[in-house]
Amino acid sequence: MAMVLAGLASCTTLPWENPPPKAGVPPGSTIPQAAPETPDRMAYLKERASRVQELQESAERASLAGDLDEAERLLNEVLSMDAQNKRALTELDRIANFRRHPAMVEEARMLLEKGDEFAAEKRVRQVLMENPKNRDALQIYTAILKKREDKKALVPVLKTMSSKPISLEFREANLKMVFEALSRTTGINFILDKDIRNDQKTTVFIKSAPLQDVLDSLLSANQLQKKVINEDTVVIYPNTPLKAREYQELVMRTFYLANADVKQTAVLLKTMLQVKDIFTDEKINLVVIRDTPDVIRMAEQLVLAQDIADPEVVLDVEILEINRNKATELGIKYPNQLSVLSGDEAVLTMNTLKNLSSSEIGVTPNPALNFRDTNGAANLLANPSIRVRNREKARIHIGDRIPVITSNVSSTGTISESVQYLDVGLKLEVEPSVNIEDDVAIRIGLDVGTLGPSFTTINGSRVFQIGTRNASTLLRLHDGETQILAGLINDQDRSDISKLPGLGDIPLLGRLFSNKAKDRTKTDVILSITPHVIRNLPVQSAATAEVVIGTESSLGRVPTSIRGAAIPAILAPYLTRPPAAAPAQPAAPTGNSAPAASGQEKESNESDGGVGLPKSLTYPLGQ
């Protein structure tokens, strides 16, 4: 037992290692002890939390300003007070990543200069995922995208060995042999799809036409389609939906609309172009479509023609209300009622009537001598100027809102009151429609209401009598033209006479026993309106007003007549016909081909009854 106790005693002197620091605590930092158990413990914790919040905000500001050293120092101070602060730990990791970003951006710039776009994009994307606001990384990423878009914009175009027009003369020839002859003549590589029949025949007679027109005519006549790989290679395949899905490349295009409605734009694209896939987002006015490049180009033209700002007009309105009032009252107002003043007695008895005295008899109304003559004039002038979009309504109200209180009694006997407001005064409603010639069609609704006497219903509700005058019209004014609307006149003439019976009817002397009052009110409203067109629809250019979209089956293919249009007959006398180009050497004769000289060709076309094409199809655009 003594040996065991001695061994335990010796353990206290062994050099035990300190426990490892807790995760998240930087080396050298100290963890503060728990707050002392004192009455000020809550105040201490509150002060520490406020200090931590202040340091974190300062660190974030320093990080945004680019002072990473100061931000790191502040965050370490936060951890010295709160070692488990997740916000500070996350920000320190973020700062550590930021220190690597300049080297990564510089590496991406060097890779882009060497032409390695994919490696440069990989470095830049890693930086932007950690710091989306890194300006240098954004600049390099934008340059990569622009360089890639420039490459996409370069649509491959076929180029021939010679710029001279091409002539083809074949009758019932094998289609593959025709493409072989065309390849030897132009130097273009033709790759034929395996589904093109080996025994397919074709007849073609074309003189002095550009390669593009010759190729399109040959493909259209044989229900074929092409896909240009590069400037000297093209793939020929059957024009069927299955092959189109196999060969046609699809493009996804995003439109951010500034003015047009996304729903209407989607309906337009679906109706006119039969777009394959379309998506709309009304929150950000976004339209995304997916289709072939030809359809995408036509969709861009349609969106460009539709996404224009609505016309706007400023309406200068002047409203003048003239109110004239003349009131005259002249004469003597006599009492017309005698009443017994019963005093404190609730019921009047015969005994009371027998003992009446003059002090117990009341006279109403009190006699009065009236000699009043008043004249009044009031002008209400309003001059609002409102700006309205095309086909939108604008309202103007000049007046008062009268409260009307309604009492409602529920089945339980509870009484509740509701308040409704009536607009009284001058109300004007306009709806302009701007056309392309700066004329404005304005639908006007004018309502002038006047407040009359009020009445109280049996239920206690209060109602008002409202006098109204209204007019509505549709007029058309040019930009800056003024129109005046008048004639809303309200003329009231009222006369009241109160007199003593009999005495008031005596000629001349009856004026001494009567009271005469006259009241005349006249109100007139004048409205003046002048439109000023601020913005109108732009005049469409020929490129957006008319767009060639090809045929029903080959949407987007530009017809031959558009690329190299023949000279109209009406313009022929005014133009000098260019000299005919020397015909190209025809393809090597085969068993199915029948090359002919120019003199024999005319006889062949006549003998075939017009089967061969005309001698001169089109004029190339450069001539």
Side-chain angles (χ1 to χ4, degrees):
M1 186 67 180
M3 295 177 63
V4 173
L5 292 176
L8 293 175
S10 63
C11 292
T12 58
T13 61
L14 292 177
W16 297 105
E17 296 180 358
N18 293 327
K22 294 184 179 180
V25 180
S29 62
T30 60
I31 303 176
Q33 299 297 325
E37 296 294 339
T38 62
D40 296 335
R41 183 173 185 273
M42 296 301 297
Y44 166 77
L45 294 176
K46 184 177 180 180
E47 182 180 357
R48 189 183 71 169
S50 176
R51 177 59 178 167
V52 167
Q53 179 69 20
E54 181 182 352
L55 289 174
Q56 288 177 341
E57 293 178 355
S58 300
E60 290 179 358
R61 287 194 295 268
S63 178
L64 291 176
D67 192 352
L68 301 182
D69 295 334
E70 177 65 15
E72 188 173 3
R73 185 189 67 79
L74 294 173
L75 291 173
N76 286 328
E77 188 175 349
V78 170
L79 291 177
S80 66
M81 291 184 291
D82 184 5
Q84 303 299 328
N85 191 294
K86 294 183 179 180
R87 183 176 174 184
L89 293 173
T90 303
E91 189 66 20
L92 281 175
D93 292 340
R94 187 163 160 267
I95 290 176
N97 291 331
F98 283 1
R99 294 187 183 278
R100 297 186 293 105
H101 290 170
M104 296 175 65
V105 170
E106 184 63 27
E107 184 182 359
R109 181 178 289 108
M110 295 176 62
L111 289 172
L112 183 61
E113 292 176 356
K114 294 178 180 179
D116 193 352
E117 298 178 13
F118 295 99
E121 182 182 3
K122 183 178 179 180
R123 300 292 191 280
V124 169
R125 286 175 64 88
Q126 184 177 353
V127 172
L128 292 178
M129 282 190 294
E130 296 174 353
N131 183 14
K133 297 181 180 180
N134 191 300
R135 295 182 179 180
D136 296 335
L138 285 173
Q139 184 179 4
I140 296 177
Y141 189 64
T142 304
I144 293 173
L145 292 180
K146 185 178 183 304
K147 194 173 182 180
R148 190 170 297 168
E149 289 298 326
D150 292 341
K151 289 183 178 180
K152 290 182 180 179
L154 297 177
V155 179
V157 179
L158 293 177
K159 295 183 180 180
T160 61
M161 296 183 301
S162 175
S163 60
K164 295 181 179 180
I166 300 171
S167 298
L168 287 180
E169 300 178 12
F170 289 94
R171 187 191 307 276
E172 291 298 324
N174 186 282
L175 183 61
K176 293 185 176 181
M177 297 181 65
V178 175
F179 279 111
E180 181 182 353
L182 191 59
S183 176
R184 290 199 304 267
T185 305
T186 61
I188 300 296
N189 301 318
F190 292 98
I191 303 175
L192 304 183
D193 186 84
K194 61 183 180 61
D195 291 336
I196 297 179
R197 301 196 318 270
N198 294 327
D199 58 346
Q200 186 171 351
K201 306 290 185 179
T202 185
T203 299
V204 55
F205 292 92
I206 299 178
K207 272 287 189 181
S208 302
L211 170 63
Q212 190 70 22
D213 294 348
V214 172
L215 189 56
D216 285 348
S217 300
L218 186 61
L219 297 177
S220 177
N222 294 275
Q223 289 77 46
L224 301 175
Q225 186 59 276
K226 71 177 186 299
K227 178 182 179 180
V228 179
I229 304 300
N230 50 47
E231 61 183 15
D232 57 2
T233 304
V234 60
V235 177
I236 308 298
Y237 59 91
N239 190 10
T240 60
L242 181 61
K243 289 297 180 180
R245 287 195 297 269
E246 182 179 347
Y247 281 101
Q248 284 185 345
E249 295 183 358
L250 298 181
V251 178
M252 187 170 60
R253 178 70 161 87
T254 302
F255 298 97
Y256 287 95
L257 305 181
N259 305 284
D261 182 72
V262 291
K263 290 185 176 180
Q264 294 182 357
T265 304
V267 172
L268 172 67
L269 297 176
K270 286 183 179 179
T271 304
M272 304 306 298
L273 300 178
Q274 289 84 41
V275 175
K276 296 180 183 295
D277 300 304
I278 187 167
F279 170 80
T280 60
D281 189 345
E282 298 183 23
K283 292 182 180 180
I284 57 176
N285 256 19
L286 172 71
V287 178
V288 182
I289 62 176
R290 184 170 67 95
D291 214 307
T292 62
D294 293 333
V295 175
I296 294 295
R297 284 194 294 270
M298 289 182 292
E300 291 175 350
Q301 297 185 42
L302 284 180
V303 172
L304 180 64
Q306 187 194 22
D307 189 22
I308 55 179
D310 290 336
E312 287 189 87
V313 60
V314 171
L315 300 177
D316 291 335
V317 182
E318 293 184 3
I319 305 171
L320 178 64
E321 183 179 6
I322 303 174
N323 190 355
R324 298 184 181 90
N325 183 24
K326 183 176 182 181
T328 302
E329 187 175 4
L330 184 62
I332 300 174
K333 193 173 184 179
Y334 292 94
N336 55 21
Q337 184 179 6
L338 298 177
S339 60
V340 177
L341 304 177
S342 59
D344 297 334
E345 298 181 4
V347 179
L348 188 64
T349 62
M350 293 298 297
N351 187 29
T352 305
L353 291 176
K354 290 179 182 180
N355 300 321
L356 282 176
S357 63
S358 60
S359 61
E360 297 176 339
I361 299 176
V363 179
T364 56
N366 295 331
L369 177 63
N370 297 320
F371 42 90
R372 179 171 63 91
D373 188 2
T374 59
N375 293 322
N379 295 333
L380 174 62
L381 178 62
N383 186 19
S385 180
I386 54 177
R387 182 166 178 169
V388 196
R389 285 202 318 174
N390 188 38
R391 300 183 182 277
E392 296 289 343
K393 291 183 179 180
R395 295 177 177 88
I396 301 173
H397 177 219
I398 302 173
D400 301 319
R401 303 194 72 191
I402 307 300
V404 178
I405 301 175
T406 305
S407 300
N408 301 318
V409 181
S410 64
S411 59
T412 60
T414 304
I415 301 176
S416 61
E417 293 183 348
S418 60
V419 181
Q420 296 179 348
Y421 290 89
L422 297 177
D423 294 332
V424 178
L426 191 146
K427 292 184 287 185
L428 177 66
E429 183 176 291
V430 292
E431 182 181 354
S433 178
V434 185
N435 63 16
I436 199 68
E437 298 176 353
D438 286 344
D439 285 346
V440 184
I442 309 175
R443 189 179 298 276
I444 300 177
L446 179 63
D447 189 307
V448 181
T450 56
L451 183 64
S454 62
F455 304 93
T456 304
T457 63
I458 299 176
N459 298 328
S461 300
R462 188 182 180 189
V463 296
F464 292 90
Q465 179 180 347
I466 307 268
T468 181
R469 289 165 289 162
N470 53 65
S472 60
T473 182
L474 177 64
L475 51 89
R476 181 166 178 167
L477 301 175
H478 193 66
D479 182 21
E481 185 179 356
T482 302
Q483 177 64 43
I484 297 177
L485 302 178
L488 295 177
I489 301 175
N490 182 17
D491 196 352
Q492 297 180 357
D493 196 352
R494 182 179 298 174
S495 179
D496 296 328
I497 299 177
S498 61
K499 56 187 177 180
L500 293 177
L503 297 178
D505 295 331
I506 300 176
L508 297 179
L509 293 178
R511 296 294 299 273
L512 299 176
F513 304 98
S514 63
N515 183 67
K516 187 175 182 181
K518 287 186 177 181
D519 190 0
R520 185 173 183 180
T521 303
K522 185 176 182 180
T523 305
D524 189 7
V525 178
I526 300 175
L527 172 67
S528 171
I529 185 168
T530 305
H532 299 284
V533 178
I534 300 300
R535 180 174 55 239
N536 204 346
L537 294 175
V539 180
Q540 282 189 324
S541 62
T544 57
E546 182 178 358
V547 180
V548 179
I549 64 173
T551 63
E552 188 72 21
S553 60
S554 300
L555 195 64
R557 177 185 291 180
V558 180
T560 303
S561 58
I562 299 299
R563 287 194 304 267
I567 298 177
I570 192 172
L571 298 179
Y574 306 98
L575 299 177
T576 303
R577 186 182 182 94
Q585 295 296 329
T590 64
N592 295 327
S593 62
S598 59
Q600 296 173 347
E601 181 193 39
K602 182 176 180 181
E603 297 176 359
S604 174
N605 290 341
E606 292 176 355
S607 62
D608 292 339
V611 175
L613 296 177
K615 188 173 182 179
S616 178
L617 288 178
T618 58
Y619 280 103
L621 283 179
Q623 298 177 350

